Amino acid sequence: MSSSKVAVVTGSNKGIGYAIVQGLCEKFDGVVYLTARDVNRGQEAVAKLNQLGLKPSFHQLEITDESSITKFRDHLVQNHGGIDILINNAAIAFKRTATEPFSEQAVITNSVNYYATLKVCDILFPILKKNAKVIHVSSSEGHLSKIPSATLRSQFNDPSLTVPKLNQLVEKFIQDAKNDKHKEAGWGTSSYAVSKVAVSALTKIQQRNFDQETPNRNISVNSVHPGYIKTDMTGHTGFGTIEEGARAPLFLALEAENLKGQYIWKDGTVAQWDAEKPPAPF
């Protein structure tokens, strides 16, 4: 079993995740796992980094497939004993021109961005090493102000919120979407925003849970808005490069100290998650 430190980046064969892996390979003193649901695409991404003189490891990981996550966990335990850095980057977003019914978009988006991320955490959190760092790659859309209803915002921001109660909130959104009542119920018109607000709320719950652990492993969990970046997800309409999008996640992974349960902006500063509006520029 290797004694090296280990970093894992989900959904990292392209885009911001790929740039995060590249940055970790350049600066992190340990093993860096590039993961992808498609083995060929993952291996092609590794080969590109090899050409730069970088040597990430690869493992298949489909975050919506519990057996895939479990196989990866077992591999990590057997070969490394656990994880030091976990960056949850994998996510999806429907384009504005998508023709799928909103109810379908609500189900699929939250199944991946929220529920699959939660499943990754449930399976991999037990193998986090002492002083490990967890970073959820969120979005400006993950700011609480993206939920129009003050009542819903207060529920997401409840300091006693638990994962089961958060699940109920997400399920309520999905049901309202299926009944075409999401607007009148105060959810707004973006299933992506709801999924990322849920991840931001999950960040705070997870940090509270880690803080109450006995023995305490001193684990930090933060969410981060990487900026509006030119990627396939944004249809390459963003403003920044993938390298710029990787900066704040890399800061949290490699440099930040004493940041726990926070919502971090693209410049590495702590943003007030429950402010009336998110910081600018996006």
Side-chain angles (χ1 to χ4, degrees):
M1 180 188 298
S2 169
S3 60
S4 299
K5 289 188 174 182
V6 176
V8 170
V9 186
T10 69
S12 48
N13 61 289
K14 63 179 180 177
I16 294 172
Y18 176 87
I20 293 172
V21 168
Q22 180 173 340
L24 287 171
C25 286
E26 293 169 344
K27 301 174 183 177
F28 177 63
D29 185 17
V31 179
V32 181
Y33 274 93
L34 183 153
T35 69
R37 60 183 178 179
D38 183 277
V39 172
N40 290 333
R41 291 177 182 175
Q43 291 176 339
E44 287 172 0
V46 168
K48 284 175 59 180
L49 291 169
N50 288 163
Q51 292 174 1
L52 299 175
L54 305 175
K55 299 185 181 300
S57 296
F58 173 72
H59 201 284
Q60 191 275 341
L61 178 63
E62 167 55 83
I63 68 168
T64 64
D65 181 352
E66 184 171 344
S67 66
S68 175
I69 307 169
T70 302
K71 287 178 182 177
F72 187 34
R73 177 202 63 195
D74 294 345
H75 170 85
L76 292 167
V77 171
Q78 181 178 356
N79 291 278
H80 308 287
I83 305 172
D84 297 277
I85 297 173
L86 172 60
I87 302 181
N88 283 311
N89 170 74
I92 64 167
F94 283 85
K95 301 293 188 293
R96 293 179 181 176
T97 56
T99 57
E100 292 86 349
F102 186 80
S103 58
E104 183 178 341
Q105 295 185 35
V107 171
I108 294 173
T109 304
N110 282 276
S111 293
V112 176
N113 296 359
Y114 174 68
Y115 283 113
T117 296
L118 177 60
K119 181 58 67 176
V120 168
C121 294
D122 287 344
I123 294 174
L124 297 186
F125 274 12
I127 68 168
L128 291 175
K129 299 177 185 177
K130 188 175 182 180
N131 302 318
K133 294 181 176 181
V134 178
I135 297 103
H136 298 313
V137 178
S138 184
S139 165
S140 61
E141 294 295 297
H143 193 270
L144 187 59
S145 63
K146 297 300 180 177
I147 303 297
S149 164
T151 299
L152 290 172
R153 291 198 302 271
S154 68
Q155 291 175 323
F156 275 109
N157 202 31
D158 185 344
S160 65
L161 186 66
T162 62
V163 170
K165 289 180 180 178
L166 179 55
N167 291 346
Q168 290 176 6
L169 274 172
V170 175
E171 284 303 313
K172 178 65 165 56
F173 164 67
I174 291 172
Q175 193 59 51
D176 284 342
K178 289 180 177 178
N179 293 331
D180 197 25
K181 294 182 178 179
H182 51 284
K183 292 182 185 178
E184 63 185 87
W187 294 103
T189 58
S190 171
S191 58
Y192 181 77
V194 174
S195 74
K196 288 301 187 177
V197 168
V199 169
S200 300
L202 178 65
T203 300
K204 295 182 177 299
I205 296 170
Q206 290 173 332
Q207 188 63 65
R208 289 196 296 268
N209 291 343
F210 277 127
D211 290 345
Q212 296 168 5
E213 261 191 340
T214 304
N216 193 297
R217 289 179 287 171
N218 190 38
I219 292 170
S220 65
V221 189
N222 294 286
S223 61
V224 57
H225 164 52
Y228 188 40
I229 305 301
K230 296 177 183 178
T231 64
D232 288 350
M233 181 179 289
T234 64
H236 295 275
T237 60
F239 306 122
T241 65
I242 58 173
E243 291 78 14
E244 290 171 328
R247 286 177 185 170
L250 287 169
F251 165 74
L252 283 172
L254 302 175
E255 301 177 45
E257 299 292 340
N258 302 316
L259 287 178
K260 292 184 174 183
Q262 300 295 333
Y263 176 71
I264 306 300
W265 206 242
K266 65 178 184 178
D267 59 1
T269 59
V270 176
Q272 185 180 344
W273 182 57
D274 58 355
E276 290 187 6
K277 60 182 180 179
F282 299 141

